[in-house]
């Protein structure tokens, strides 16, 4: 082998931890002295194995950490499908299965773990799988097409993930666990019983305390069932083993490195093996003889090794094994000494069998006679996890009645405690409360040379909450508390009637299923409401229910525009804007618009959004105008609502010699898909057929620009007083993927944005474009399918509000200027003429107020 002048570092394994090591090496400058060779056994680069189940929804590319397969740093080379079969510690080489050898100065083993398959007879039959890689899932998906029933052997974290996958594929699913409860490593008997009820309520069958004796097969060599000890055979078409993992330590073992008693490459606090030039990180490593089966400890080990190679003193001193996740839609969390193994530990338990909630705190008496938190278990409601977990090991004293920490607010709970500065808030990235406070202090230099001004910036700068996201609520509270303590008051109340943000209000309405303002304010607010909270509630109800805005008592919640399905102008008249998707309109529809304008004496103008606006319509004339437009095949353009306005387009490849894609066709498809979509602020889109960008797509909330391979998707731009350019979310997308990402993006915005918050400001508030990409493209929160389903519900339930109004006599009754003189026009509305058309003119009298009773008086 040719000699090399720079040092050479070889990384064996390109999973999540191997990739994190390479990222840290690049970011911290290790490649200034080392060339890094990464040898990955799988045919694809590292991907999010924690979110493996979402592969069925988002596909492999969305899970990838390195979609291009190449690192930006040219000093790092990645080799896929490169299985290392041997290492020679003396010669300092590793050898691939094809005989190729690589020399190293330093070697990092990140080989991970392999699924454990018990020695059950029949385990080698067809349609028997493990659950570890994307290739495994592809095989499971193919087999499920003809399967009716299947079983997952293993009821731990991985087993329930596999069961979730099988259930989503439409297969009747059984979960088989040898232990007496599900998730036996993380939760106790009572918590396991609660979790079991939740899982069975979803339609799965749970078998606990049973042992699989054998797997039966048919004449074709395929699985036909499994047999439990002393029980009949359970007929099945698929079996998935997810009964734990074992460290992949074979090459280290054969090379003579020290191996832990229970498997795994034995390493010291530096993550160094018994060979001074070989390091091990992640699931293949056993620091102090213990293997860690979670990704967060592996990330910590990766950082330690990079630090050591740079001459630092970083050490791995154990890891927080706390876990919080949503399994099959059920919140589950376990942290600290969850099983009360500490001497003299006490357990405090709250259980609500009806609601399916189980909470346990493990506490111990401290030297002063008070109590400190050792650990806990949360099933069914893990909302307190973010504030409870940092208390473990912090030394802080609990309230005199610690049970207040887990009791519901209405039953003596809901108490809040201040965490000490040294409390670790984000265990994934080792961020303390002090780190978060430092990021927002006046002398901070993190955010473009200055301090962070909100929690989103703190997440971006410190990484607190950027991995699993479970601590983001606590991060936000620390930021708000710090601002309050320094005189910068942060008021998150929607208004004086609701002490919550719009996002919190949205969640309250969604969880409780409210459909009346009175019920919402009675349960969660005070007073009678105002012109801030009433339209906000109306918007939330419209987003969730997609009902007619003039239905019942909710009609009184709207502001003037929504209340009359038209835009109020300065002289008391209204403007009418029919939808013209993509700016494309037939001559016949143009003629009808002209006839309507002429008949009702309206001012006409082509808008910047490629529509025709008809100004000067009197309230009582609105239904008649709508009817002519609806009869001609047109509908409401929702110019009056906080909703989708337009999707602007150029002429694209249909006419333009530069166009590379049909921008008009896509714009029409998107506008028709998202029409009527209610949102915190108005939404605008644009589609350009080539890079010349004639539709100005990057000034929109979502913009699409055609490429030779498909579409580039830009998000969170806007015009207005403070314009913002949209930023690239994903590139070269096919149309189906583009629409999927747009569905997620829009629904994510609708659910989490504040009242009247445009997408550009919302992006900054939630942690920037990277956070949006994590949720929308990577599906880091596992919400992809839910957001897509919410959009599908909107599309399926869409109706034209104009048409529904003119067909409903009760709604039509609203459209008179005076209730006791329906045929009387408002005498205060006058016009003048300019450039051959009417112009609004104001009189000395008030708009819409005469000697009779006005309907629309605010």
């Amino acid at each position: 082998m040719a000699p090399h002048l720079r040092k050479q570092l070889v990384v064996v394994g390109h999973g999540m931890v191997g990739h994190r090591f390479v990222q840290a090496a690049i970011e911290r400058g290790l490649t200034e002295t080392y060339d890094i060779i990464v040898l990955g056994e799988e045919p694809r680069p590292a991907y999010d194995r924690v979110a493996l189940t979402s592969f069925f929804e988002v596909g492999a590319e969305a899970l990838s950490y390195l979609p291009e397969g190449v690192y930006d740093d040219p000093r790092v080379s990645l080799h896929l499908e490169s299985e290392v079969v041997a290492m020679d510690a003396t010669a300092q080489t590793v050898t691939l299965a094809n005989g190729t050898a690589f020399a190293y100065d330093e070697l990092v083993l990140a080989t991970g773990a392999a699924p454990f398959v018990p020695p059950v007879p029949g385990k080698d039959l067809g349609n028997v799988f493990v659950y570890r890689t994307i290739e495994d899932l592809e095989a499971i998906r193919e087999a499920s097409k003809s399967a009716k029933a299947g079983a997952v052997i293993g009821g731990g974290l991985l087993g329930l993930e596999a069961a979730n996958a099988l259930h989503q594929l439409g297969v009747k699913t059984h979960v088989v666990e040898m232990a007496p409860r599900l998730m036996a490593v993380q939760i106790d008997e009572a918590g396991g019983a609660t979790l079991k009820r939740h899982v069975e309520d979803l339609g799965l069958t749970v078998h606990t305390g049973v042992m699989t004796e054998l797997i039966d097969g048919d004449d074709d060599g395929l699985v036909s069932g499994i047999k439990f000890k002393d029980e009949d055979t359970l007929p099945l078409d698929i079996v998935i083993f997810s009964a734990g993992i074992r460290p992949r330590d074979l090459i280290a073992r054969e090379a003579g490195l020290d191996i832990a008693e229970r498997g795994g490459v034995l390493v010291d606090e530096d993550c160094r093996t018994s060979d001074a030039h070989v390091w091990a990180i992640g699931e293949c490593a056993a620091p102090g003889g213990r293997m860690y089966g979670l990704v967060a400890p592996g990330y910590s080990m990766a950082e330690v090794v990079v630090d050591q190679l740079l001459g630092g003193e970083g050490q791995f001193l154990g890891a927080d094994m706390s876990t919080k996740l949503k399994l099959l839609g059920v919140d589950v969390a376990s942290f600290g000494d969850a099983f009360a193994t500490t001497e003299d530990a006490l357990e405090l338990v709250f259980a609500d069998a009806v609601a399916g909630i189980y909470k346990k705190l493990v506490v111990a008496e401290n030297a002063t006679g008070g109590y400190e938190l050792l650990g806990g278990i949360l099933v069914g409601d893990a909302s307190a996890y973010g504030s409870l977990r940092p208390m473990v090991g912090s030394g802080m004293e609990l309230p005199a009645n610690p049970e207040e920490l887990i009791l519901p607010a209405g039953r003596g709970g809901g108490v809040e405690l201040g965490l000490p500065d040294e409390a670790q808030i984000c265990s994934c990235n080792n961020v303390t409360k002090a780190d978060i406070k430092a990021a927002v202090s006046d002398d901070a230099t993190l955010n473009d040379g200055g301090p962070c001004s909100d929690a989103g910036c703190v997440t971006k700068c410190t990484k607190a909450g950027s991995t699993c996201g479970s601590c983001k609520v606590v991060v936000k509270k620390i930021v708000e508390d710090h601002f309050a303590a320094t005189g910068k008051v942060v008021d998150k109340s929607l208004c004086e009637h609701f002490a919550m943000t719009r996002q919190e209000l949205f969640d309250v309405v969604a969880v409780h299923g409210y459909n009346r303002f009175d019920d919402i304010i009675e349960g969660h607010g005070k007073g009678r409401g105002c012109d801030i909270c009433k339209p906000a509630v109306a918007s939330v109800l419209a987003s969730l229910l997609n009902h007619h805005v003039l239905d019942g008592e909710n009609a009184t919640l709207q502001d003037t525009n929504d209340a009359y399905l038209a835009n109020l102008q300065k002289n008391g008249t209204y403007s009418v804007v029919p939808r013209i998707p993509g700016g494309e309109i037939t001559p016949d529809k143009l003629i009808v618009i002209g006839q309507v304008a002429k008949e009702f004496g309206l001012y006409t103008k082509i808008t910047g959004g490629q529509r025709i606006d008809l100004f000067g319509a009197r309230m009582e004339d609105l239904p008649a105008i709508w009817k002519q437009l609806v009869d001609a095949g047109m509908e409401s353009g929702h110019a009056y609502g906080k909703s989708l306005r337009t999707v602007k387009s150029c002429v694209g490849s249909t006419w333009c010699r530069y166009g590379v894609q049909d921008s008009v066709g896509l714009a029409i498809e998107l506008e028709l898909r998202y029409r009527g979509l209610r949102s915190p602020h108005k939404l605008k889109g644009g589609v350009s057929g080539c890079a010349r960008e004639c539709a100005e797509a990057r000034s929109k909330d979502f913009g699409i620009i055609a490429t030779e391979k498909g579409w580039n998707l830009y998000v969170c731009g806007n015009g207005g007083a403070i314009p913002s350019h949209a930023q690239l979310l994903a590139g070269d997308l096919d149309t189906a993927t583009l629409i999927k990402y747009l569905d997620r993006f829009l629904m994510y915005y609708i659910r989490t944005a504040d009242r009247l918050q445009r997408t550009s400001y919302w992006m900054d508030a939630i942690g920037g474009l990277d956070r949006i990409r994590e949720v929308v493209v990577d599906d880091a929160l596992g919400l992809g399918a839910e957001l897509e389903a919410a959009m599908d519900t909107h599309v399926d339930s869409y109706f034209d509000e104009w048409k529904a109004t003119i067909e409903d006599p009760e709604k039509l009754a609203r459209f008179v200027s005076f209730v006791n003189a329906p045929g009387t026009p408002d005498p205060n509305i006058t016009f003048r003429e300019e450039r051959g058309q009417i112009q609004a003119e104001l009189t000395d009298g008030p708009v819409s107020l005469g000697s009779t009773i006005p309907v629309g008086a605010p």
Side-chain angles (χ1 to χ4, degrees), residues 346-394:
L346 302 174
E347 297 181 345
L348 304 175
V349 175
F350 169 77
D352 185 340
V354 175
I357 294 174
Y358 173 80
K359 300 180 182 181
K360 182 178 80 171
L361 294 184
V362 180
V363 302
E365 191 171 355
N366 59 21
T368 62
Y371 290 96
E372 61 181 83
L373 185 62
L374 300 181
I377 294 171
L378 306 169
V379 179
D381 174 16
S383 58
Y385 172 81
S387 57
L388 291 175
R389 190 204 54 74
M391 297 180 190
V392 177
S394 68

Side-chain angles (χ1 to χ4, degrees), residues 298-373:
Y299 284 174
S300 298
M301 295 181 212
E303 297 282 354
V304 166
V305 174
V306 171
D307 193 62
Q308 288 287 330
L309 291 172
L310 287 169
E313 299 180 355
Q315 291 188 323
F316 183 79
L317 302 176
D320 183 356
M321 296 300 287
S322 303
T323 55
K324 176 183 180 292
L325 58 162
K326 189 180 286 290
L327 294 166
L328 291 158
V330 184
D331 278 331
V332 182
S334 172
F335 55 96
D337 183 11
F339 293 95
T341 58
T342 303
E343 187 176 358
D344 296 327
L346 302 174
E347 297 181 345
L348 304 175
V349 175
F350 169 77
D352 185 340
V354 175
I357 294 174
Y358 173 80
K359 300 180 182 181
K360 182 178 80 171
L361 294 184
V362 180
V363 302
E365 191 171 355
N366 59 21
T368 62
Y371 290 96
E372 61 181 83
L373 185 62

